Amino acid sequence: MSKTLASHPHTTSRLALSELAPGALQSEIRAMSTECDRIGGINLAQGICDTPVPGVVETAAIAAILAGHNIYTRLDGIGRLRVAIADKQLRDYGLRYDPEREVMVASGATAGLHAAAMALLNPGDEVLVFEPFYGYLVSTLKSMRVKPVFVALAEPDWVLDTDALRAAITDRTRAIIVNTPANPSGKVFTRAELEAIADAAREHDLFVFTDEIYEYFVYDGAKHICLATLEGMRERTIVMSGFSKTFSVTGWRLGYVTADAKWMGAMGYFHDLTYVCAPSALQHGAAAGLEQLPPEFYTQVAADHQLKRERIVAALRDAGLEPSVPAGAYYVLARASRLPGETSAQRARHLLAETGVASVAGSAFFRPGRGEDLLRFCFAKKDADLDEACARLRKL
Ligand code: PLP
């Protein structure tokens, strides 16, 4: 026994957390939400959109339960939804995926990334991640002992520095993660930036994982470009998206991956291992949405959120918190240097105490020591709640 314990130098007991288990179990975002609930505040911290679910999606999911669609599905999802996703990729981006072999329904884009990373990356590999970043992307890599290598985007417009991108590539680099439109910055990568990423990926033979969960949340005529459409990129791009945001069903845990058939078998294997399949009846709801909602639905999603963006940006300006105006997604990063505190967590807590509006500390989206004067506000809220939050911010 002592021999076995000696091989675990970090512990003298077997009743111990794994090497990978984080010390701080509660994330700052969750902590803010708890504190916000305690004081009855307005939660602009968590990215939970509480806008209504499209009727057709709701009705089809309920009907599917009543019709008995309550058992396991094929590990990559029901045929109807895979066909609808393939049709959507063709309609929106001109990308052809075989619904039998190149589309996987996942338990959220989150599970899609997890399965893709398990299938394609090895411990010790390096993956480039743009900063500011969505924390799950980084934590998922770390949970597989894959090393995130950060490439900082330049404030205030979060412009990509192509030289910095290229300088970050080493012999161990296997992939680049692109989240566009991005959480938390609202950046929508331009065609020129995506071309630069694609050039680097082709030159160094890298995968690109694209998180496109906010693909329909684009403002001021900005255009979402799916990186897989660029020359030579379809084979090496793993496209991840989902229904959480577009259909306001974050709790349904329903997303998808589209990629070349070469990679799909292994991804399906790992998704099956953790989730077995995505929720069966809810897959019918999402399929009905994709099949029946007209193009105007998607333009309306963007138009509605653009108006919400105007409201929060104006309120933040009035409050002296300098917002960086997002071109997409539904968050605003604002400079909060005028609030007291050494860290962004302290600034967020001060703002919550003073106004009852919860935000997320900027440090959650950067390497340690960075983002300390930034706060993130989510504006995918019902108008009444957003207006109340704006009124409270203005009293600051
Ligand atoms: N990717 C990004 C960039 C997000 O911001 C979020 C949610 O906040 C997700 C993925 C989660 O997607 P899903 O609910 O499909 O797992």
Side-chain angles (χ1 to χ4, degrees):
M1 181 178 152
S2 57
K3 193 174 165 217
T4 318
L5 283 178
S7 67
H8 292 277
H10 305 302
T11 176
T12 52
S13 166
R14 292 179 189 212
L15 299 183
L17 294 173
S18 77
E19 285 169 13
L20 286 171
L25 289 176
Q26 200 186 32
S27 84
E28 183 59 20
I29 300 183
R30 289 238 163 84
M32 279 303 281
S33 294
T34 309
E35 181 61 13
C36 180
D37 286 347
R38 198 183 64 76
I39 67 160
I42 301 181
N43 194 349
L44 302 191
Q46 256 181 338
I48 333 171
C49 34
D50 51 15
T51 42
V53 180
V56 55
V57 174
E58 252 173 11
T59 312
I62 293 166
I65 292 177
L66 297 176
H69 293 294
N70 301 307
I71 57 172
Y72 301 135
T73 70
R74 213 170 98 165
L75 63 87
D76 51 359
I78 60 170
R80 177 185 176 193
L81 182 53
R82 280 184 281 106
V83 167
I85 292 165
D87 288 350
K88 170 223 169 285
Q89 298 296 61
L90 184 62
R91 176 197 72 201
D92 287 354
Y93 308 119
L95 279 169
R96 257 175 223 289
Y97 290 104
D98 175 356
E100 275 301 305
R101 300 183 312 136
E102 299 187 313
V103 176
M104 178 178 82
V105 179
S107 287
T110 306
L113 171 68
H114 194 267
M118 287 296 284
L120 304 176
L121 302 174
N122 293 309
D125 284 350
E126 295 180 1
V127 172
L128 305 194
V129 179
F130 298 107
E131 179 192 49
F133 49 77
Y134 169 57
Y136 268 62
L137 300 177
V138 170
S139 305
T140 299
L141 296 177
K142 286 185 178 166
S143 78
M144 294 169 193
R145 297 180 163 87
V146 171
K147 186 180 169 198
V149 172
F150 299 100
V151 178
L153 299 171
E155 285 188 67
D157 297 325
W158 314 108
V159 173
L160 171 66
D161 174 349
T162 311
D163 293 337
L165 169 72
R166 287 182 168 270
I169 296 173
T170 73
D171 290 348
R172 311 208 71 149
T173 311
R174 294 284 317 288
I176 305 172
I177 295 192
V178 182
N179 169 214
T180 183
N183 173 10
S185 65
K187 175 183 176 62
V188 176
F189 281 74
T190 63
R191 182 169 290 278
E193 288 173 327
L194 294 174
E195 291 283 5
I197 293 168
D199 285 348
R202 278 189 304 261
E203 200 175 306
H204 295 273
D205 201 19
L206 308 175
F207 282 110
V208 182
F209 297 85
T210 63
D211 178 336
E212 310 189 15
I213 194 92
Y214 299 104
E215 61 193 309
Y216 297 114
F217 296 79
V218 281
Y219 313 125
D220 304 324
K223 201 166 156 32
H224 171 69
I225 298 167
C226 179
L227 197 139
T229 58
L230 303 189
E231 201 191 326
M233 292 307 291
R234 184 190 181 283
E235 178 198 12
R236 58 179 72 250
T237 304
I238 312 299
V239 179
M240 306 175 299
S241 192
F243 306 104
S244 285
K245 315 290 173 172
T246 311
F247 294 163
S248 307
V249 290
T250 48
W252 283 18
R253 311 311 309 127
L254 213 49
Y256 56 87
V257 178
T258 59
D260 194 278
K262 274 191 287 221
W263 321 121
M264 268 304 177
M267 278 191 254
Y269 171 83
F270 284 109
H271 188 269
D272 178 31
L273 213 51
T274 316
Y275 301 96
V276 183
C277 65
S280 145
L282 305 183
Q283 294 187 47
H284 288 269
L290 286 182
E291 289 160 2
Q292 294 172 38
L293 289 166
E296 298 77 51
F297 167 80
Y298 300 95
T299 40
Q300 197 59 47
V301 164
D304 289 347
H305 284 81
Q306 185 167 324
L307 287 177
K308 292 179 197 291
R309 178 195 68 166
E310 308 311 347
R311 310 242 258 282
I312 185 87
V313 162
L316 288 168
R317 281 198 180 121
D318 290 349
L321 304 172
E322 301 154 51
S324 151
V325 180
Y330 50 52
Y331 309 93
V332 188
L333 275 179
R335 188 163 301 287
S337 330
R338 65 160 290 218
L339 297 180
E342 295 282 297
T343 64
S344 52
Q346 288 166 357
R347 292 189 164 103
R349 277 160 203 279
H350 175 87
L351 186 70
L352 180 61
E354 286 291 308
T355 64
V357 174
S359 58
V360 182
S363 55
F365 311 103
F366 290 83
R367 280 166 279 185
R370 301 165 72 116
E372 294 293 3
D373 56 355
L374 297 173
L375 296 178
R376 189 198 74 174
F377 297 83
C378 171
F379 56 85
K381 295 281 148 191
K382 292 197 183 86
D383 284 341
D385 292 340
L386 188 63
D387 286 344
E388 174 61 22
C390 289
R392 290 186 185 195
L393 285 171
R394 285 196 166 91
K395 288 193 194 126
L396 187 69

